[in-house]
Amino acid sequence: MTGDVPASPGVRRGWRGWAWGWVALGAAIMAWGGVFVLVLLVFASVGSPGDGDNALRSVRPLLLVTLSLTGTVALACVTASVLAFRLRRQPAGGGVALALLALLLLVLLIPSLTSRHTSVAGVLPATLPIWQVAGVQG
């Protein structure tokens, strides 16, 4: 007799009933947080000049783990956004998440988009190196 009772619509849907827009938005915020942690780790790995690369070597495992987790979260954000649009589950959240991810990508790509001949401030760099030994460029 209990097998004749139909399940509620929320139970039958399973993962299709999840709030994919909110999942995508959370993943986008986590991607921003991952980039923030990466920046902190890079700043922590900068040692004094002449110390070698010991500071970078000590932080390298954390950098690699954080980089892989941030990439995975960004991929999860794109996947959840697509599911939010396709399943019509909070598509506005999926759109905002994609916009946040695109903004993050733009912020990360700005240094590579600038010309190699000018600095970010727009001043031409010096043609000679800062240091010279007895007039010989080394």
Side-chain angles (χ1 to χ4, degrees), residues 15-26 76-98:
W15 60 270
R16 293 177 188 258
W18 291 359
W20 287 110
W22 298 122
V23 170
L25 192 58
C77 175
V78 171
T79 305
S81 295
V82 168
L83 285 172
F85 287 124
R86 301 251 342 206
L87 298 175
R88 295 187 180 108
R89 304 291 298 173
Q90 292 85 24
V96 170
L98 283 179

mmCIF file of all heavy atoms in Angstrom, residues 15-26 76-98:
data_model
loop_
_atom_site.group_PDB
_atom_site.id
_atom_site.type_symbol
_atom_site.label_atom_id
_atom_site.label_comp_id
_atom_site.label_asym_id
_atom_site.label_seq_id
_atom_site.Cartn_x
_atom_site.Cartn_y
_atom_site.Cartn_z
ATOM 1 N N TRP A 15 18.969 15.859 -8.271
ATOM 2 C CA TRP A 15 19.899 16.970 -8.485
ATOM 3 C C TRP A 15 19.329 18.022 -9.413
ATOM 4 O O TRP A 15 19.804 19.144 -9.452
ATOM 5 C CB TRP A 15 21.225 16.452 -9.024
ATOM 6 C CG TRP A 15 21.120 15.730 -10.323
ATOM 7 C CD1 TRP A 15 20.907 14.397 -10.500
ATOM 8 C CD2 TRP A 15 21.205 16.290 -11.625
ATOM 9 N NE1 TRP A 15 20.855 14.087 -11.816
ATOM 10 C CE2 TRP A 15 21.043 15.239 -12.542
ATOM 11 C CE3 TRP A 15 21.408 17.574 -12.107
ATOM 12 C CZ2 TRP A 15 21.061 15.450 -13.914
ATOM 13 C CZ3 TRP A 15 21.433 17.765 -13.470
ATOM 14 C CH2 TRP A 15 21.252 16.706 -14.354
ATOM 15 N N ARG A 16 18.318 17.691 -10.185
ATOM 16 C CA ARG A 16 17.719 18.686 -11.080
ATOM 17 C C ARG A 16 16.960 19.765 -10.309
ATOM 18 O O ARG A 16 16.731 20.844 -10.830
ATOM 19 C CB ARG A 16 16.770 18.015 -12.063
ATOM 20 C CG ARG A 16 17.476 17.121 -13.031
ATOM 21 C CD ARG A 16 16.462 16.438 -13.937
ATOM 22 N NE ARG A 16 17.087 15.436 -14.752
ATOM 23 C CZ ARG A 16 17.395 15.612 -16.023
ATOM 24 N NH1 ARG A 16 17.114 16.747 -16.603
ATOM 25 N NH2 ARG A 16 17.975 14.655 -16.701
ATOM 26 N N GLY A 17 16.592 19.474 -9.086
ATOM 27 C CA GLY A 17 15.853 20.431 -8.272
ATOM 28 C C GLY A 17 16.734 21.344 -7.446
ATOM 29 O O GLY A 17 16.232 22.175 -6.701
ATOM 30 N N TRP A 18 18.022 21.182 -7.552
ATOM 31 C CA TRP A 18 18.929 22.020 -6.769
ATOM 32 C C TRP A 18 18.902 23.457 -7.271
ATOM 33 O O TRP A 18 18.585 23.729 -8.422
ATOM 34 C CB TRP A 18 20.349 21.495 -6.854
ATOM 35 C CG TRP A 18 20.571 20.196 -6.153
ATOM 36 C CD1 TRP A 18 19.654 19.471 -5.448
ATOM 37 C CD2 TRP A 18 21.780 19.453 -6.108
ATOM 38 N NE1 TRP A 18 20.221 18.326 -4.981
ATOM 39 C CE2 TRP A 18 21.530 18.288 -5.360
ATOM 40 C CE3 TRP A 18 23.041 19.648 -6.625
ATOM 41 C CZ2 TRP A 18 22.502 17.347 -5.120
ATOM 42 C CZ3 TRP A 18 24.012 18.712 -6.379
ATOM 43 C CH2 TRP A 18 23.731 17.575 -5.625
ATOM 44 N N ALA A 19 19.302 24.364 -6.418
ATOM 45 C CA ALA A 19 19.358 25.786 -6.762
ATOM 46 C C ALA A 19 20.688 26.067 -7.458
ATOM 47 O O ALA A 19 21.642 26.540 -6.853
ATOM 48 C CB ALA A 19 19.207 26.632 -5.505
ATOM 49 N N TRP A 20 20.755 25.772 -8.748
ATOM 50 C CA TRP A 20 22.025 25.848 -9.480
ATOM 51 C C TRP A 20 22.540 27.269 -9.625
ATOM 52 O O TRP A 20 23.746 27.488 -9.701
ATOM 53 C CB TRP A 20 21.880 25.191 -10.853
ATOM 54 C CG TRP A 20 21.803 23.713 -10.744
ATOM 55 C CD1 TRP A 20 20.721 22.927 -10.967
ATOM 56 C CD2 TRP A 20 22.861 22.831 -10.363
ATOM 57 N NE1 TRP A 20 21.028 21.616 -10.742
ATOM 58 C CE2 TRP A 20 22.343 21.524 -10.377
ATOM 59 C CE3 TRP A 20 24.183 23.012 -9.988
ATOM 60 C CZ2 TRP A 20 23.106 20.420 -10.046
ATOM 61 C CZ3 TRP A 20 24.943 21.915 -9.665
ATOM 62 C CH2 TRP A 20 24.402 20.639 -9.690
ATOM 63 N N GLY A 21 21.663 28.235 -9.658
ATOM 64 C CA GLY A 21 22.110 29.625 -9.737
ATOM 65 C C GLY A 21 22.873 30.036 -8.488
ATOM 66 O O GLY A 21 23.903 30.710 -8.565
ATOM 67 N N TRP A 22 22.363 29.616 -7.321
ATOM 68 C CA TRP A 22 23.052 29.952 -6.079
ATOM 69 C C TRP A 22 24.358 29.165 -5.936
ATOM 70 O O TRP A 22 25.333 29.682 -5.383
ATOM 71 C CB TRP A 22 22.149 29.690 -4.874
ATOM 72 C CG TRP A 22 20.913 30.525 -4.890
ATOM 73 C CD1 TRP A 22 19.631 30.076 -4.883
ATOM 74 C CD2 TRP A 22 20.819 31.957 -4.936
ATOM 75 N NE1 TRP A 22 18.760 31.130 -4.924
ATOM 76 C CE2 TRP A 22 19.462 32.285 -4.952
ATOM 77 C CE3 TRP A 22 21.764 32.970 -4.971
ATOM 78 C CZ2 TRP A 22 19.028 33.607 -4.992
ATOM 79 C CZ3 TRP A 22 21.327 34.283 -5.018
ATOM 80 C CH2 TRP A 22 19.973 34.589 -5.027
ATOM 81 N N VAL A 23 24.363 27.934 -6.429
ATOM 82 C CA VAL A 23 25.606 27.147 -6.412
ATOM 83 C C VAL A 23 26.659 27.831 -7.286
ATOM 84 O O VAL A 23 27.834 27.939 -6.905
ATOM 85 C CB VAL A 23 25.336 25.701 -6.890
ATOM 86 C CG1 VAL A 23 26.629 24.951 -7.108
ATOM 87 C CG2 VAL A 23 24.447 24.973 -5.896
ATOM 88 N N ALA A 24 26.254 28.302 -8.462
ATOM 89 C CA ALA A 24 27.184 28.990 -9.362
ATOM 90 C C ALA A 24 27.693 30.286 -8.730
ATOM 91 O O ALA A 24 28.886 30.603 -8.827
ATOM 92 C CB ALA A 24 26.506 29.283 -10.693
ATOM 93 N N LEU A 25 26.810 31.024 -8.082
ATOM 94 C CA LEU A 25 27.219 32.271 -7.440
ATOM 95 C C LEU A 25 28.197 32.007 -6.298
ATOM 96 O O LEU A 25 29.202 32.712 -6.143
ATOM 97 C CB LEU A 25 25.992 33.030 -6.940
ATOM 98 C CG LEU A 25 26.188 34.467 -6.497
ATOM 99 C CD1 LEU A 25 26.774 35.298 -7.625
ATOM 100 C CD2 LEU A 25 24.881 35.048 -6.036
ATOM 101 N N GLY A 26 27.929 30.977 -5.519
ATOM 102 C CA GLY A 26 28.859 30.602 -4.451
ATOM 103 C C GLY A 26 30.205 30.169 -5.000
ATOM 104 O O GLY A 26 31.261 30.494 -4.440
ATOM 105 N N ALA A 76 33.569 24.452 -11.932
ATOM 106 C CA ALA A 76 32.276 24.149 -11.315
ATOM 107 C C ALA A 76 31.316 25.324 -11.453
ATOM 108 O O ALA A 76 30.104 25.127 -11.629
ATOM 109 C CB ALA A 76 32.480 23.800 -9.845
ATOM 110 N N CYS A 77 31.833 26.543 -11.408
ATOM 111 C CA CYS A 77 30.991 27.734 -11.577
ATOM 112 C C CYS A 77 30.390 27.774 -12.974
ATOM 113 O O CYS A 77 29.196 28.041 -13.142
ATOM 114 C CB CYS A 77 31.810 28.986 -11.295
ATOM 115 S SG CYS A 77 30.928 30.513 -11.599
ATOM 116 N N VAL A 78 31.215 27.500 -13.976
ATOM 117 C CA VAL A 78 30.706 27.506 -15.353
ATOM 118 C C VAL A 78 29.669 26.396 -15.536
ATOM 119 O O VAL A 78 28.603 26.608 -16.136
ATOM 120 C CB VAL A 78 31.875 27.351 -16.351
ATOM 121 C CG1 VAL A 78 31.369 27.136 -17.754
ATOM 122 C CG2 VAL A 78 32.775 28.569 -16.284
ATOM 123 N N THR A 79 29.950 25.209 -14.995
ATOM 124 C CA THR A 79 29.019 24.088 -15.124
ATOM 125 C C THR A 79 27.699 24.385 -14.424
ATOM 126 O O THR A 79 26.620 24.135 -14.976
ATOM 127 C CB THR A 79 29.654 22.811 -14.540
ATOM 128 O OG1 THR A 79 30.899 22.582 -15.179
ATOM 129 C CG2 THR A 79 28.748 21.623 -14.724
ATOM 130 N N ALA A 80 27.762 24.918 -13.206
ATOM 131 C CA ALA A 80 26.539 25.238 -12.473
ATOM 132 C C ALA A 80 25.764 26.355 -13.149
ATOM 133 O O ALA A 80 24.524 26.353 -13.134
ATOM 134 C CB ALA A 80 26.883 25.612 -11.037
ATOM 135 N N SER A 81 26.452 27.298 -13.770
ATOM 136 C CA SER A 81 25.750 28.365 -14.484
ATOM 137 C C SER A 81 25.004 27.814 -15.696
ATOM 138 O O SER A 81 23.863 28.212 -15.964
ATOM 139 C CB SER A 81 26.742 29.438 -14.922
ATOM 140 O OG SER A 81 27.301 30.072 -13.823
ATOM 141 N N VAL A 82 25.651 26.913 -16.416
ATOM 142 C CA VAL A 82 24.983 26.306 -17.567
ATOM 143 C C VAL A 82 23.768 25.511 -17.108
ATOM 144 O O VAL A 82 22.692 25.575 -17.728
ATOM 145 C CB VAL A 82 25.984 25.419 -18.349
ATOM 146 C CG1 VAL A 82 25.264 24.560 -19.371
ATOM 147 C CG2 VAL A 82 27.030 26.280 -19.022
ATOM 148 N N LEU A 83 23.908 24.770 -16.020
ATOM 149 C CA LEU A 83 22.758 24.027 -15.494
ATOM 150 C C LEU A 83 21.664 24.965 -15.007
ATOM 151 O O LEU A 83 20.473 24.656 -15.148
ATOM 152 C CB LEU A 83 23.204 23.103 -14.359
ATOM 153 C CG LEU A 83 23.945 21.844 -14.791
ATOM 154 C CD1 LEU A 83 24.507 21.118 -13.581
ATOM 155 C CD2 LEU A 83 23.029 20.934 -15.584
ATOM 156 N N ALA A 84 22.031 26.113 -14.450
ATOM 157 C CA ALA A 84 21.021 27.078 -14.003
ATOM 158 C C ALA A 84 20.218 27.606 -15.186
ATOM 159 O O ALA A 84 19.002 27.780 -15.089
ATOM 160 C CB ALA A 84 21.694 28.230 -13.263
ATOM 161 N N PHE A 85 20.880 27.840 -16.308
ATOM 162 C CA PHE A 85 20.162 28.316 -17.495
ATOM 163 C C PHE A 85 19.333 27.207 -18.138
ATOM 164 O O PHE A 85 18.193 27.427 -18.530
ATOM 165 C CB PHE A 85 21.139 28.883 -18.520
ATOM 166 C CG PHE A 85 21.720 30.208 -18.122
ATOM 167 C CD1 PHE A 85 23.093 30.384 -18.053
ATOM 168 C CD2 PHE A 85 20.908 31.284 -17.804
ATOM 169 C CE1 PHE A 85 23.639 31.595 -17.687
ATOM 170 C CE2 PHE A 85 21.435 32.498 -17.434
ATOM 171 C CZ PHE A 85 22.815 32.656 -17.373
ATOM 172 N N ARG A 86 19.913 26.026 -18.263
ATOM 173 C CA ARG A 86 19.219 24.934 -18.955
ATOM 174 C C ARG A 86 18.023 24.405 -18.174
ATOM 175 O O ARG A 86 16.999 24.056 -18.763
ATOM 176 C CB ARG A 86 20.187 23.788 -19.239
ATOM 177 C CG ARG A 86 21.355 24.187 -20.079
ATOM 178 C CD ARG A 86 21.387 23.682 -21.428
ATOM 179 N NE ARG A 86 20.545 22.559 -21.738
ATOM 180 C CZ ARG A 86 20.796 21.721 -22.693
ATOM 181 N NH1 ARG A 86 21.886 21.867 -23.403
ATOM 182 N NH2 ARG A 86 19.983 20.750 -22.964
ATOM 183 N N LEU A 87 18.162 24.298 -16.838
ATOM 184 C CA LEU A 87 17.095 23.753 -16.011
ATOM 185 C C LEU A 87 16.179 24.828 -15.450
ATOM 186 O O LEU A 87 15.234 24.517 -14.724
ATOM 187 C CB LEU A 87 17.694 22.934 -14.858
ATOM 188 C CG LEU A 87 18.519 21.721 -15.273
ATOM 189 C CD1 LEU A 87 19.143 21.066 -14.054
ATOM 190 C CD2 LEU A 87 17.654 20.727 -16.025
ATOM 191 N N ARG A 88 16.482 26.074 -15.767
ATOM 192 C CA ARG A 88 15.692 27.225 -15.295
ATOM 193 C C ARG A 88 15.590 27.238 -13.766
ATOM 194 O O ARG A 88 14.514 27.397 -13.187
ATOM 195 C CB ARG A 88 14.302 27.218 -15.921
ATOM 196 C CG ARG A 88 14.339 27.409 -17.408
ATOM 197 C CD ARG A 88 12.944 27.566 -17.978
ATOM 198 N NE ARG A 88 13.018 27.746 -19.397
ATOM 199 C CZ ARG A 88 12.663 26.819 -20.274
ATOM 200 N NH1 ARG A 88 12.220 25.659 -19.855
ATOM 201 N NH2 ARG A 88 12.756 27.054 -21.551
ATOM 202 N N ARG A 89 16.740 27.078 -13.123
ATOM 203 C CA ARG A 89 16.829 27.114 -11.667
ATOM 204 C C ARG A 89 17.719 28.288 -11.275
ATOM 205 O O ARG A 89 18.930 28.189 -11.329
ATOM 206 C CB ARG A 89 17.407 25.814 -11.109
ATOM 207 C CG ARG A 89 16.680 24.558 -11.502
ATOM 208 C CD ARG A 89 15.339 24.445 -10.875
ATOM 209 N NE ARG A 89 15.491 24.386 -9.428
ATOM 210 C CZ ARG A 89 14.484 24.412 -8.592
ATOM 211 N NH1 ARG A 89 13.270 24.516 -9.028
ATOM 212 N NH2 ARG A 89 14.707 24.356 -7.318
ATOM 213 N N GLN A 90 17.123 29.420 -10.952
ATOM 214 C CA GLN A 90 17.797 30.673 -10.619
ATOM 215 C C GLN A 90 18.769 31.097 -11.719
ATOM 216 O O GLN A 90 19.977 31.211 -11.491
ATOM 217 C CB GLN A 90 18.550 30.581 -9.286
ATOM 218 C CG GLN A 90 17.677 30.458 -8.075
ATOM 219 C CD GLN A 90 17.280 29.016 -7.808
ATOM 220 O OE1 GLN A 90 17.965 28.109 -8.214
ATOM 221 N NE2 GLN A 90 16.162 28.842 -7.134
ATOM 222 N N PRO A 91 18.287 31.348 -12.936
ATOM 223 C CA PRO A 91 19.193 31.755 -14.013
ATOM 224 C C PRO A 91 19.845 33.118 -13.768
ATOM 225 O O PRO A 91 20.922 33.382 -14.280
ATOM 226 C CB PRO A 91 18.305 31.778 -15.250
ATOM 227 C CG PRO A 91 16.918 31.910 -14.743
ATOM 228 C CD PRO A 91 16.903 31.257 -13.401
ATOM 229 N N ALA A 92 19.220 33.967 -12.958
ATOM 230 C CA ALA A 92 19.840 35.257 -12.652
ATOM 231 C C ALA A 92 21.122 35.056 -11.842
ATOM 232 O O ALA A 92 22.135 35.730 -12.080
ATOM 233 C CB ALA A 92 18.864 36.143 -11.886
ATOM 234 N N GLY A 93 21.099 34.134 -10.901
ATOM 235 C CA GLY A 93 22.304 33.826 -10.136
ATOM 236 C C GLY A 93 23.396 33.259 -11.015
ATOM 237 O O GLY A 93 24.582 33.575 -10.847
ATOM 238 N N GLY A 94 23.011 32.423 -11.989
ATOM 239 C CA GLY A 94 23.992 31.888 -12.932
ATOM 240 C C GLY A 94 24.592 32.975 -13.804
ATOM 241 O O GLY A 94 25.792 32.954 -14.106
ATOM 242 N N GLY A 95 23.785 33.941 -14.201
ATOM 243 C CA GLY A 95 24.296 35.045 -15.013
ATOM 244 C C GLY A 95 25.246 35.935 -14.237
ATOM 245 O O GLY A 95 26.284 36.358 -14.754
ATOM 246 N N VAL A 96 24.896 36.231 -12.983
ATOM 247 C CA VAL A 96 25.779 37.044 -12.147
ATOM 248 C C VAL A 96 27.090 36.293 -11.894
ATOM 249 O O VAL A 96 28.173 36.882 -11.886
ATOM 250 C CB VAL A 96 25.070 37.424 -10.823
ATOM 251 C CG1 VAL A 96 26.037 38.051 -9.837
ATOM 252 C CG2 VAL A 96 23.908 38.354 -11.100
ATOM 253 N N ALA A 97 27.000 34.977 -11.697
ATOM 254 C CA ALA A 97 28.210 34.180 -11.469
ATOM 255 C C ALA A 97 29.118 34.201 -12.694
ATOM 256 O O ALA A 97 30.340 34.336 -12.562
ATOM 257 C CB ALA A 97 27.822 32.739 -11.118
ATOM 258 N N LEU A 98 28.546 34.095 -13.879
ATOM 259 C CA LEU A 98 29.364 34.167 -15.091
ATOM 260 C C LEU A 98 29.981 35.552 -15.266
ATOM 261 O O LEU A 98 31.120 35.678 -15.715
ATOM 262 C CB LEU A 98 28.530 33.800 -16.316
ATOM 263 C CG LEU A 98 28.255 32.313 -16.518
ATOM 264 C CD1 LEU A 98 27.388 32.100 -17.750
ATOM 265 C CD2 LEU A 98 29.542 31.536 -16.640
#
